[in-house]
Amino acid sequence: MEIPYTVRPRPDTGLANPKLGIWLFIASEVMLFGGLFAGYIFMRLGAEPWMWPHGWLNVPVGTFNTFVLIFSSVTVILSWEALKMRNFKAYKWWLFLTWVCGLLFLIIKLSYEWPNKFNHFGAYIKKEAAEKYEEYLGNEGEDGRLARGQAPRLFISGHPKAWSDVKDPSMDKIVLAAIDDENHTPKSAENDRAHFIPRDMVHLHEGHEVVLDKKDLVNGFGPFYPRLNTYLACYFMITGLHGLHVLGGVIVFIFFWGPGSKLYKTNPEQLCNRIEVAGLFWHLVDLIWIFVFPIFYLL
Amino acid sequence: MAHAAAAHTEHGHDDHAHDHHEPGFWRKWVFSTDHKMIGIQYIVTGLAFLFFGFGLMMVMRWSIAHGSDVLPGFWGNLLHGIFGDAVFDKAVDPSTKAMVGYSLSTQGYNVFGAMHGTIMVFFGIVPIAFAGFGNFVMPLQIGAVDMAFPRLNMASFWSFFISCVIMVWSFFVEGSAAKSGWTNYPPLAGIADQSHHAVLNGGTLWLLGMVFNITSSLLGAVNFITTFVQLRAPGMTWGRLPFFCWAQFITAYLLLLAFPPLESAAIMNLFDRVFGSSFFMPTGLVVNGAVGPDGQPLLFSGGGSPVLWQHLFWFLAHPEVYVLILPGIGMVTEIIACNSRKPIWGYKAMVGGLFTLAFLSFIVWAHHMYMTDMGPKVAAFFQTTTILISVPSVILLTALLLSLWGGSLRFNTPMLFAAAFLPMFGIGGLTGIPLAFNAVDLYMHDTYYIIAHFHYVVAPGTIFAIFAGVYHWYPKACGRMMNETLGKLHFWGSLVAINCLFMPMFMQGMAGVHRRWWDGGKSAYEATVGPWLDWNLKISYAAWALGAVQLIFVFNFCWSMIRGKKVTSDNPWQATTLEWDTPTPPPHGNFIKPITVYRGPYEYSVPGEDKDYTPQSEPPRDSKPLEAKAHA
Amino acid sequence: MAEQHTHAPESKDGHVHAAEAHSHGSDAHGHGSYLHHVRPYLIVGVALFVFTVVTVGLSYVDFDHIFGSHGMNMKIGLAVATFKVCLVGAWFMHLKSEKRSIWIPLLFTFFFCLGLFVLCLLAYFNPIMTTGHTHH
């Protein structure tokens, strides 16, 4: 038994089965990420301006990752074109580059970007206690944020002296051994538009010991986990799901680069179709990232 | 360029391994890629869940009728043995301190209620009506050898199977299964069970199960659409497709585009539950009079929106209503055409109605959300679209009703179920119209009126269609007929019991009986809805009677497999569509001769023909021989 | 997507050449040079790089301040992203020369996706919906 039109297109529809299949899958993926982005829109509109962080992610690294992904999108096309021209060697090389780029993207994400959030500490100060920490928030006074018509900043971030203070419920104080730029010089003009300052998260102002009273904090304080705030929840969820798609693509490409490429000897046309279909999926992954990058890193 | 030669030698045909050898036991019965076997696997799994879900409801009906009275000894012991202390309370005689039995706990009522809905919708009806019958019948009807992606088809079934295992498993973890309703509304759904294991608790397993279930449906939908578009036999033009295939095609589209937003919502909710994020957790949430369970602060940042879940959930769940009903309408159409020996009235209008229905179903979802703080502008929009969507539904129903007119009806069991489907679905649909209006809905919402309304659509609606389908296609799958006498007994028993079950609920609902009172309202609402509470027990008797009647079906289904009357022809119902052109049961690859389609799907009683049905594959008498036409 | 293919077997010949032209595996491609074939992709690739730089650059400009209107940076940033996505879709995914049976369902998908966004937003901006968030 043979399923018709697995390689050659059906004359009246002009399509081969896998191509229609992958487009339908892409349509469902669009709806999947559509749902997630709808969630993002809801969360962002619902948040008070000062609750929605800006500049927490490293823009140069993110930009580099964007380049990596776009580059891999080009190489997968080149690989497919090479296969169409029956240039197997070029096909192998371009496909190799494609999955290496995919892997590089994942490595940057998992070894630098994500872990970098976990050793950082952040806490929202309750409104009634804001005065106590005014030195680090910079809301009051002639040159304060309120006087300049800006939303108050109620967030302090840095590195705690001992993480056990954070976790232990019997400890009522948290001591920050180092704080971030915007709490170090809260009234500087640079920190006015927190929103467009790419801030290197590892670079902290050492020696600025700040004692935070736990009862002054909104209960969601802690490392930059999804629990700390909804921005991070959106970030981890959407980049996580996107990362799973990248991983899937990388596995598929490694397969077609390795054992799967044997098909070239028996049916190059079918291999060509498979690369086209896998490529379409890979472009979708790229396409999603094109939206993810600005909404989390830049805007 | 060394391989250029290879490139030119191979173009035309696929490099399939031509394995004609008989597959082994595992490949044939368990890990099968044959669409018919997968269809049967879906139907059998789905029927098992349908009865399981119904069983849960029968226990709930005890609680509604008798409150916390102990269950009859045998049943109490049995159910407590299965579900344990989380669901059943031990009842002790206050004077003698002796144990008198078990009763369904209030928490257990919530568990059973949530799981009844989940199981019936996502594990019963969709797997049977869409995945099961779609898999078995649709490729046969379009003249395909199999689904377009057989291995994907198997993956889809096994993904579904994993979700089934997770859902059943969730009954046996600490604190039992999910208890936040089948709609799983946050913030309750975010905090329920959080005191148990971090992952292995009812609420989280429910979400995990749903993620697998949704994945299965998505893979299935991709496969169905591709098969429908690509694998139609020569001559099977769009206008010659049986209506059932159109219904499956549209259903697949609904699943494909509506399910992903729920998947994303389920992932967000998983994040909330497992990682403590706040997608659906509002700021300042107070639970049980304290900030959190046990007076501890809830450890999340807040700032989320419970209404977001409702949007994403109902974005799926309204199209889901049509996912439930369209395959049913498709089956009923086939059976009515066959048993009234008459073409379907208004085939084109029906297909057009399907497309309109599908399109509109994506923009009506918030009529389930009038009770949220939704403003009048949005409510006005959704009222309008909701009223609009009743037009294509009525077209479908009217066309089927008119199809009966002047037919020579054969009242065999499938036809009885199919014919009963029409008024039952009609009642369900028409009672939904008042609910489309915000002002009425605010009063009716969360009463038994709603319960009666949607159960009329899916229970005597879709489930009757499923029964009709089982009786109709059983001879094709098994080579034996189901027993007619038992079938008729099953039908009449079901019809009477199901109406006694749901009809009084309309009255109860209009009187104000709320749908979530675990003891039927006796403990607190006697004063307001008192006279209507007497109905609870009567309704429960109807429910148990309905359950008893289903045993006839179970017996008939199993017994006929071994002892049923053997079919004497491949086309026992003398139908026109292609599935009856196959041997019985159809072998792997379906058709033993190349199949070509020459005519529309419902050529019954064509004037001038020698018999009252003309199969789609029969060449026109006055034309050239088969080969010439096929390759024209 | 259904109506245009009503005469499947009859129209077989009419469509078969079009289908050939689109199935890129045939030897017709053996003649052109590789660079000639991939040039459009390279150009699009470079454009994507450039627009990535542009979008990063634009994010450092405070358009809210310049236009005196809220959310301008968001709108401009998303416009650039949408443009990039269109480039990827049209060229990399060949949507500009794709069959109607592919892009008509896709259009519906985008429509429903947009419906999800817009109707949720509508619900959000409806007066009863805007509850203030209290700050503990």
Side-chain angles (χ1 to χ4, degrees):
Chain A
M1 187 194 72
E2 207 171 89
I3 309 287
Y5 314 118
T6 45
V7 180
R8 306 291 286 175
R10 180 182 162 114
D12 60 340
T13 61
L15 294 167
N17 300 346
K19 194 158 172 187
L20 180 58
I22 196 72
W23 272 110
L24 293 169
F25 181 69
I26 287 174
S28 86
E29 291 283 73
V30 167
M31 294 306 288
L32 175 69
F33 280 91
L36 295 179
F37 285 132
Y40 172 87
I41 295 171
F42 241 75
M43 296 299 109
R44 177 138 188 192
L45 286 173
E48 298 281 344
W50 55 271
M51 273 286 209
W52 196 261
H54 294 283
W56 279 13
L57 302 176
N58 190 320
V59 175
V61 174
T63 313
F64 178 73
N65 247 354
T66 311
F67 284 151
V68 168
L69 217 51
I70 291 176
F71 181 70
S72 75
S73 236
V74 177
T75 56
V76 74
I77 284 253
L78 295 181
S79 143
W80 175 61
E81 280 286 345
L83 198 58
K84 265 169 36 182
M85 314 285 280
R86 301 289 182 265
N87 184 347
F88 188 65
K89 213 171 154 187
Y91 153 75
K92 281 273 235 182
W93 271 110
W94 288 122
L95 202 61
F96 174 73
L97 273 179
T98 307
W99 71 256
V100 166
C101 283
L103 212 57
L104 181 65
F105 177 90
L106 282 181
I107 288 169
I108 292 173
K109 198 105 231 144
L110 291 177
S111 71
Y112 174 72
E113 291 203 272
W114 275 27
N116 196 23
K117 308 286 170 296
F118 300 152
N119 56 31
H120 217 76
F121 176 88
Y124 287 96
I125 311 292
K126 287 179 183 163
K127 265 198 171 159
E128 58 269 25
E131 215 173 308
K132 251 167 89 178
Y133 304 94
E134 170 58 24
E135 187 190 337
Y136 309 105
L137 301 175
N139 294 323
E140 309 293 331
E142 278 173 27
D143 51 350
R145 295 177 62 83
L146 293 174
R148 284 176 297 194
Q150 287 164 327
R153 176 190 292 135
L154 293 170
F155 189 71
I156 290 187
S157 61
H159 275 182
K161 210 168 192 175
W163 279 100
S164 55
D165 295 354
V166 178
K167 288 169 192 152
D168 188 352
S170 65
M171 303 291 288
D172 51 3
K173 296 228 183 333
I174 296 166
V175 183
L176 294 185
I179 55 169
D180 278 323
D181 212 22
E182 62 182 33
N183 298 122
H184 178 249
T185 51
K187 293 184 180 181
S188 105
E190 270 215 317
N191 288 330
D192 271 4
R193 290 172 19 237
H195 150 199
F196 296 124
I197 296 166
R199 189 150 48 81
D200 191 4
M201 310 257 316
V202 214
H203 187 262
L204 295 155
H205 290 269
E206 301 288 340
H208 253 262
E209 203 160 276
V210 181
V211 182
L212 298 169
D213 214 326
K214 275 190 185 172
K215 68 177 193 314
D216 294 338
L217 307 180
V218 173
N219 63 31
F221 63 85
F224 282 23
Y225 289 153
R227 189 167 65 75
L228 178 68
N229 78 12
T230 313
Y231 166 82
L232 287 167
C234 291
Y235 167 74
F236 280 110
M237 181 188 61
I238 293 182
T239 58
L241 209 62
H242 178 264
L244 278 180
H245 283 73
V246 175
L247 182 67
V250 166
I251 290 170
V252 167
F253 285 135
I254 290 180
F255 175 76
F256 286 133
W257 176 78
S261 66
K262 286 200 192 90
L263 183 61
Y264 185 73
K265 291 201 181 65
T266 52
N267 194 345
E269 184 71 27
Q270 190 170 22
L271 182 63
C272 200
N273 280 0
R274 287 183 173 179
I275 295 301
E276 184 188 9
V277 163
L280 281 171
F281 172 75
W282 194 248
H283 297 316
L284 173 80
V285 171
D286 186 19
L287 194 142
I288 291 163
W289 183 257
I290 288 176
F291 276 120
V292 171
F293 173 62
I295 64 172
F296 285 112
Y297 287 73
L298 304 175
L299 300 173
Chain B
M1 284 291 149
H3 296 277
H8 290 281
T9 53
E10 227 304 324
H11 271 316
H13 290 284
D14 321 340
D15 69 324
H16 285 288
H18 295 267
D19 51 337
H20 290 297
H21 60 85
E22 188 68 13
F25 171 81
W26 290 98
R27 297 286 302 176
K28 188 172 178 206
W29 295 98
V30 184
F31 297 104
S32 174
T33 54
D34 185 350
H35 72 98
K36 298 177 294 297
M37 182 47 69
I38 293 174
I40 291 168
Q41 286 173 331
Y42 266 119
I43 291 174
V44 171
T45 322
L47 281 175
F49 269 100
L50 215 53
F51 291 122
F52 178 42
F54 188 69
L56 296 180
M57 194 277 279
M58 289 199 283
V59 180
M60 288 164 69
R61 281 308 317 181
W62 175 274
S63 181
I64 293 168
H66 295 291
S68 55
D69 292 359
V70 293
L71 285 149
F74 168 74
W75 294 107
N77 290 332
L78 179 75
L79 290 166
H80 176 261
I82 297 171
F83 295 105
D85 291 331
V87 180
F88 287 93
D89 282 338
K90 195 187 278 184
V92 179
D93 191 304
S95 53
T96 60
K97 304 280 179 232
M99 211 200 93
V100 289
Y102 295 101
S103 64
L104 186 65
S105 67
T106 49
Q107 193 65 281
Y109 181 84
N110 289 340
V111 171
F112 278 24
M115 296 309 281
H116 166 73
T118 306
I119 284 172
M120 287 310 216
V121 171
F122 296 109
F123 294 82
I125 294 179
V126 176
I128 301 176
F130 172 70
F133 280 101
N135 250 312
F136 189 90
V137 178
M138 196 267 275
L140 292 174
Q141 280 194 339
I142 64 172
V145 289
D146 203 321
M147 295 290 267
F149 310 112
R151 273 176 297 187
L152 191 70
N153 204 10
M154 183 178 82
S156 152
F157 174 75
W158 286 102
S159 176
F160 167 69
F161 192 80
I162 291 171
S163 76
C164 294
V165 170
I166 294 176
M167 280 296 170
V168 173
W169 181 26
S170 77
F171 277 97
F172 304 107
V173 296
E174 192 190 342
S176 200
K179 39 189 82 63
S180 330
W182 81 281
T183 52
N184 208 42
Y185 276 3
L188 184 59
I191 53 175
D193 293 330
Q194 286 292 36
S195 53
H196 304 304
H197 189 282
V199 179
L200 300 182
N201 60 60
T204 307
L205 286 178
W206 188 90
L207 290 166
L208 275 175
M210 285 309 292
V211 168
F212 278 99
N213 188 302
I214 294 168
T215 307
S216 154
S217 287
L218 291 179
L219 297 180
V222 167
N223 213 343
F224 272 58
I225 299 171
T226 310
T227 308
F228 176 86
V229 174
Q230 292 286 97
L231 299 192
R232 285 166 293 119
M236 182 59 93
T237 56
W238 302 110
R240 289 175 183 170
L241 282 157
F243 184 75
F244 177 76
C245 298
W246 278 114
Q248 290 289 336
F249 170 68
I250 291 295
T251 307
Y253 255 114
L254 293 179
L255 284 174
L256 186 78
L257 299 183
F259 243 143
L262 180 63
E263 185 150 28
S264 50
I267 292 167
M268 285 186 224
N269 208 344
L270 262 181
F271 254 67
D272 278 5
R273 292 186 60 88
V274 179
F275 302 116
S277 61
S278 301
F279 286 107
F280 305 125
M281 290 308 197
T283 306
L285 181 66
V286 174
V287 179
N288 290 343
V291 188
D294 319 320
Q296 292 294 312
L298 290 168
L299 277 181
F300 54 75
S301 57
S305 164
V307 177
L308 172 65
W309 167 272
Q310 299 194 22
H311 277 300
L312 294 174
F313 182 87
W314 289 112
F315 187 85
L316 155 83
H318 196 81
E320 177 80 10
V321 172
Y322 296 97
V323 169
L324 299 176
I325 197 69
L326 290 183
I329 294 186
M331 287 188 261
V332 165
T333 308
E334 296 304 305
I335 292 161
I336 284 186
C338 174
N339 290 308
S340 62
R341 318 305 293 164
K342 185 170 164 283
I344 283 300
W345 190 89
Y347 172 86
K348 277 185 184 162
M350 283 180 79
V351 174
L354 270 184
F355 276 85
T356 322
L357 198 70
F359 179 81
L360 285 174
S361 75
F362 281 99
I363 46 173
V364 298
W365 78 83
H367 66 219
H368 298 268
M369 297 165 58
Y370 290 146
M371 295 290 273
T372 64
D373 45 2
M374 185 175 29
K377 277 184 230 154
V378 189
F381 175 86
F382 284 107
Q383 280 178 45
T384 313
T385 50
T386 306
I387 290 305
L388 280 179
I389 206 171
S390 62
V391 175
S393 318
V394 168
I395 290 176
L396 292 177
L397 197 62
T398 314
L400 286 174
L401 214 55
L402 287 175
S403 302
L404 295 171
W405 185 262
S408 43
L409 306 184
R410 286 192 312 213
F411 280 110
N412 46 26
T413 314
M415 181 60 172
L416 286 173
F417 274 108
F421 168 92
L422 302 178
M424 295 295 109
F425 176 65
I427 293 173
L430 292 174
T431 51
I433 292 176
L435 298 174
F437 297 101
N438 189 323
V440 185
D441 184 75
L442 288 178
Y443 175 72
M444 298 284 213
H445 207 98
D446 274 336
T447 66
Y448 269 96
Y449 185 90
I450 295 266
I451 300 265
H453 154 63
F454 69 70
H455 278 86
Y456 258 103
V457 176
V458 286
T462 305
I463 293 180
F464 271 24
I466 286 172
F467 283 136
V470 170
Y471 285 103
H472 185 69
W473 280 293
Y474 192 90
K476 183 44 72 183
C478 300
R480 289 171 188 272
M481 311 286 281
M482 282 177 85
N483 185 297
E484 270 294 302
T485 318
L486 289 177
K488 284 187 172 131
L489 211 58
H490 174 217
F491 166 73
W492 287 110
S494 297
L495 185 71
V496 172
I498 213 160
N499 280 294
C500 292
L501 172 54
F502 292 122
M503 195 59 88
M505 286 189 188
F506 282 122
M507 271 80 92
Q508 276 197 323
M510 281 187 277
V513 178
H514 193 274
R515 64 188 278 197
R516 298 193 201 278
W517 292 336
W518 68 278
D519 63 349
K522 256 193 299 296
S523 58
Y525 302 95
E526 192 86 57
T528 44
V529 289
W532 295 95
L533 298 183
D534 295 343
W535 283 91
N536 283 339
L537 184 60
K538 298 184 183 96
I539 293 174
S540 293
Y541 278 126
W544 299 325
L546 183 61
V549 170
Q550 302 318 306
L551 295 178
I552 304 173
F553 172 77
V554 176
F555 173 75
N556 196 354
F557 190 85
C558 301
W559 186 80
S560 299
M561 229 176 279
I562 313 155
R563 290 291 169 84
K565 197 176 77 190
K566 274 200 172 168
V567 291
T568 47
S569 128
D570 286 336
N571 191 355
W573 307 116
Q574 302 184 312
T576 53
T577 42
L578 287 185
E579 76 268 33
W580 306 103
D581 270 329
T582 57
T584 308
H588 196 48
N590 299 341
F591 297 93
I592 43 173
K593 56 175 199 281
I595 204 98
T596 309
V597 176
Y598 296 96
R599 54 186 77 243
Y602 304 115
E603 304 224 340
Y604 289 102
S605 313
V606 179
E609 294 285 336
D610 49 1
K611 53 187 187 303
D612 73 342
Y613 68 102
T614 321
Q616 285 190 277
S617 58
E618 194 170 298
R621 258 186 298 173
D622 53 348
S623 77
K624 294 172 202 87
L626 192 143
E627 286 75 21
K629 183 79 180 175
H631 301 294
Chain C
M1 56 164 287
E3 286 67 24
Q4 66 268 26
H5 299 300
T6 325
H7 310 290
E10 287 77 18
S11 63
K12 196 183 264 179
D13 286 335
H15 281 279
V16 85
H17 300 298
E20 282 288 333
H22 281 289
S23 76
H24 298 280
S26 51
D27 12 6
H29 288 277
H31 303 303
S33 78
Y34 182 66
L35 200 66
H36 178 73
H37 278 292
V38 299
R39 188 180 292 143
Y41 302 127
L42 294 178
I43 294 170
V44 171
V46 170
L48 288 172
F49 275 97
V50 171
F51 279 101
T52 305
V53 175
V54 167
T55 196
V56 173
L58 286 178
S59 75
Y60 287 90
V61 184
D62 192 346
F63 286 108
D64 290 10
H65 191 74
I66 294 172
F67 289 100
S69 141
H70 186 63
M72 282 311 290
N73 273 83
M74 194 47 125
K75 284 169 196 155
I76 290 169
L78 287 181
V80 176
T82 310
F83 179 70
K84 283 165 74 183
V85 162
C86 290
L87 286 182
V88 173
W91 270 277
F92 285 0
M93 300 170 96
H94 309 115
L95 274 179
K96 69 182 176 62
S97 57
E98 198 49 271
K99 306 269 166 324
R100 274 166 62 146
S101 41
I102 295 286
W103 58 256
I104 288 180
L106 272 184
L107 281 185
F108 278 104
T109 309
F110 289 125
F111 177 80
F112 294 139
C113 201
L114 212 66
L116 180 63
F117 289 167
V118 170
L119 293 174
C120 287
L121 280 181
L122 192 64
Y124 177 80
F125 285 115
N126 211 252
I128 304 175
M129 182 71 198
T130 46
T131 54
H133 289 270
T134 50
H135 315 136
H136 295 254

